[in-house]
Amino acid sequence: MQNISARMAHRLVWLIALLPAGLFLFTVSPGDLNSTGAVLQTAGRLTGVAGLSLLLVAAILSARVPGFDRPFGGLTRLWRTHHRLGACSLILLLLHPLLLAFAAAGDGVSSAAMLLFPPLSDHATWSGWIALILMMVFLAPSFSFFGRPRYERWKRLHRLSGPAVVLALAHNFWLSRAFPPWLDITLWSLLALLAVGAVAWRFAFSRHAGRRAYTVQAVEPVTNNVVELALAPLGRRLEHEAGNFVYLTLYDQTLAIGRGEEHPYTISSAPGEDRMRIAIKALGDASRAVQSLKLGGRATVEGPYGRFFVSPDRVVRPEIWVAGGIGITPFLARMRHLRQTEQGADACLIYCVQDEAREIFAGELRDLAQAIEGFELNLHYFYREGPLSYEYLEQVCPDLAEREIYICGPGPLNRLVRDHANRAGIPESRIHTEEFELL
């Protein structure tokens, strides 16, 4: 049910994003298609309308308001739709001037050149060009055109989306003639208001209104490259569910790298705990610096985001959980919650690691599995058993096809287990995956 409603929510987003293009097609008359030049002119206007509306809806989805992502199946899935909208918008807006120039070329090359590169006093046209250039600059890292970018650099570049949206709107309000004036003003003003409001919330107000203050009370080493932070609230604590994640910002003055930067981390504590716990693996410069974090430093958390479990508070139907490496954290939070609330659970956890030295929270996982009635823990070592096979899943969980399946780990493991789940006949609505991308 969760995935069905999420799928409908995503379809609704695309429907809204494509609505202006659909309305534009209703305004097309036979005269707009009576020659090659007219067809190119109409196609150029259509790509402009569709590209702008997709850009504005992508901007609206960037608001990152806690709770807004839940109907979409979590922020990760919402962000994928945001990325796809942005990519489609860029392609359409790149085609927009080219098609108009080809249409103008019927009157001569100089007409096409003048349309593309008018005098600098033509602010309407140049605002569109600058918006397009800004889009190429901030979208290129999102699609890894030049390799995977550093998270903070990617975030700083993405702030160019604000002026890009404003300039694109200015270009449209100067030159738009796609709809009757009343519809033109109403449609674009509504989308512009929502988009500018979302960008303003995302880059300005959320930093103050959406964050809670904490202090670092404990830094517990879990393995040689993983620590678990315990954060005590300095005011009202943030409420969360198992499977949620937050954006954590640390202000410890001794941090050599990452001070004042926000990064997404899964909450590993149970919802009812007084302190928020977050497990952090050294995967980059900032997370590596956190391994030696001092006590007493100030921190802020923003969220919660994400919707991994259908029923995070209890296990309603038989479930199978597959975790890889640090992907164990949402399952750990749920196990801690189940034990805290003294609930049983018909759940089978398969924890995949390279070898015994890479186990994270293995001792606590064993204790929790013994304490939770009906729970089964299986440790799968790659060095000994190879890749996680379909036969292994069937061996440890004979009623695999009847279960809800949750997968959290590296991308290759997620895809492998999803393939096994499909082979077992588990419908897509009962397959749930979680992996972090650039958020």
Side-chain angles (χ1 to χ4, degrees):
M1 184 64 192
Q2 177 204 15
N3 280 351
I4 293 173
S5 60
R7 196 176 302 124
M8 290 177 63
H10 287 275
R11 286 175 179 170
L12 181 61
V13 167
W14 280 99
L15 186 64
I16 293 172
L18 293 172
L19 178 62
L23 293 174
F24 175 83
L25 291 175
F26 276 107
T27 69
V28 174
S29 65
D32 295 320
L33 305 171
N34 62 2
S35 67
T36 302
V39 170
L40 289 170
Q41 172 79 268
T42 303
R45 292 164 59 202
L46 175 62
T47 53
V49 169
L52 178 60
S53 61
L54 264 60
L55 173 65
L56 295 176
V57 174
I60 293 168
L61 296 188
S62 73
R64 216 172 78 182
V65 177
F68 180 73
D69 59 318
R70 294 178 64 83
F72 298 92
L75 194 61
T76 305
R77 290 179 177 82
L78 185 61
W79 235 241
R80 285 198 192 110
T81 297
H82 165 82
H83 287 178
R84 288 167 185 153
L85 286 167
C88 292
S89 169
L90 178 61
I91 293 170
L92 289 167
L93 292 177
L94 285 170
L95 288 172
H96 170 61
L98 294 177
L99 289 168
L100 292 179
F102 282 128
D107 298 325
V109 175
S110 59
S111 297
M114 182 59 70
L115 185 141
L116 289 174
F117 306 110
L120 293 177
S121 59
D122 186 346
H123 298 152
T125 299
W126 284 109
S127 64
W129 272 120
I130 296 172
L132 192 53
I133 291 169
L134 290 176
M135 283 184 70
M136 288 189 281
V137 171
F138 77 79
L139 283 177
S142 298
F143 302 104
S144 302
F145 288 160
F146 308 107
R148 191 170 179 80
R150 190 169 175 267
Y151 181 69
E152 278 300 314
R153 183 181 302 165
W154 169 80
K155 277 182 54 188
R156 283 195 292 273
L157 282 175
H158 232 64
R159 290 174 186 164
L160 294 175
S161 61
V165 167
V166 171
L167 288 168
L169 283 168
H171 172 79
N172 182 68
F173 280 119
W174 259 317
L175 298 178
S176 175
R177 56 184 188 280
F179 305 114
W182 69 269
L183 179 59
D184 208 63
I185 293 174
T186 304
L187 182 65
W188 294 119
S189 296
L190 179 60
L191 288 174
L193 186 65
L194 292 171
V196 173
V199 172
W201 167 268
R202 171 72 181 82
F203 292 116
F205 302 116
S206 69
R207 296 179 180 278
H208 305 286
R211 294 184 176 181
R212 302 283 170 79
Y214 281 76
T215 185
V216 179
Q217 200 170 69
V219 181
E220 300 288 345
V222 179
T223 63
N224 63 349
N225 63 348
V226 177
V227 294
E228 186 175 42
L229 309 184
L231 307 173
L234 294 176
R236 193 156 61 94
R237 72 184 177 94
L238 186 141
E239 303 290 340
H240 74 276
E241 296 175 341
N244 285 158
F245 71 91
V246 293
Y247 285 87
L248 172 67
T249 306
L250 298 166
Y251 298 95
D252 184 346
Q253 294 298 319
T254 64
L255 267 180
I257 300 173
R259 184 175 64 252
E261 296 179 358
E262 63 171 26
H263 293 271
Y265 296 110
T266 298
I267 303 170
S268 55
S269 52
E273 295 182 32
D274 293 332
R275 301 185 305 177
M276 176 180 291
R277 289 191 275 177
I278 296 174
I280 300 176
K281 183 176 182 179
L283 294 171
D285 293 340
S287 56
R288 197 169 294 114
V290 172
Q291 306 300 307
S292 55
L293 186 68
K294 306 299 182 187
L295 302 185
R298 191 168 66 87
T300 60
V301 295
E302 178 186 329
Y305 300 103
R307 183 189 177 190
F308 186 29
F309 300 110
V310 175
S311 55
D313 291 336
R314 56 201 174 97
V315 176
V316 178
R317 60 176 299 165
E319 297 180 0
I320 178 170
W321 306 349
V322 182
I326 194 66
I328 192 64
T329 48
F331 301 115
L332 175 65
R334 201 174 185 206
M335 291 175 75
R336 285 171 168 172
H337 176 69
L338 290 170
R339 186 179 68 173
Q340 189 180 61
T341 53
E342 299 180 345
Q343 295 183 67
D346 186 355
C348 174
L349 168 61
I350 300 171
Y351 184 29
C352 303
V353 290
Q354 178 60 34
D355 50 43
E356 290 82 350
R358 311 289 180 90
E359 293 176 353
I360 303 172
F361 299 105
E364 183 177 357
L365 289 174
R366 291 187 179 92
D367 292 342
L368 288 168
Q370 286 186 349
I372 300 170
E373 184 180 354
F375 197 94
E376 183 182 341
L377 170 65
N378 300 277
L379 290 167
H380 179 280
Y381 300 106
F382 292 126
Y383 84 93
R384 192 175 67 194
E385 292 153 319
L388 186 63
S389 66
Y390 178 77
E391 290 70 24
Y392 180 90
L393 289 180
E394 274 199 326
Q395 178 187 339
V396 302
C397 191
D399 59 346
L400 170 65
E402 308 302 319
R403 292 181 175 250
E404 200 95 14
I405 184 166
Y406 294 91
I407 314 161
C408 184
L413 177 68
N414 285 11
R415 290 188 287 275
L416 177 66
V417 180
R418 176 180 281 276
D419 288 343
H420 294 334
N422 290 332
R423 179 179 170 185
I426 300 176
E428 285 293 322
S429 60
R430 285 199 276 120
I431 302 174
H432 312 276
T433 63
E434 187 75 292
E435 57 184 300
F436 290 131
E437 298 173 357
L438 290 176
L439 296 174

